[in-house]
Amino acid sequence: MTGVVITGHGFYASGVKSTIQLIAGEQHEVKYVDFLESDEPSDLREKLEHYLDSMNNVTNILFLTDIVGGTPFKISAFCKKEKLQVL
């Protein structure tokens, strides 16, 4: 099974979550992680690692970020483990 982690600046992930839930309902293997103005990059890394650890039934994880080269993209790439893909 493939899991998805959506992350981005501000409330990007929360906004995407709202839209997906409205259209398709709750998606259990999709995680949404906001990178807030008050967060440090290390905070985002901890959040992402927490969600990665909670995704027990997945063999592949796809990261979706808002800006290529931005902090959420870089931290996602840093968290990259075997079979993870950052887009």
Side-chain angles (χ1 to χ4, degrees), residues 53-64:
D53 291 342
S54 72
M55 298 176 89
N56 299 324
N57 299 327
V58 299
T59 55
N60 298 296
I61 298 177
L62 174 67
F63 282 93
L64 301 173

Side-chain angles (χ1 to χ4, degrees), residues 7-13 33-37 66-67 69-73:
T7 185
H9 295 86
F11 294 99
Y12 173 79
V33 184
D34 290 323
F35 180 49
L36 304 175
E37 186 175 349
D66 60 345
I67 300 173
T71 300
F73 178 90

Side-chain angles (χ1 to χ4, degrees), residues 66-83:
D66 60 345
I67 300 173
V68 175
T71 300
F73 178 90
K74 291 177 189 175
I75 299 297
S76 296
F78 182 77
C79 290
K80 185 178 178 185
K81 297 179 182 178
E82 186 177 311
K83 298 183 181 179

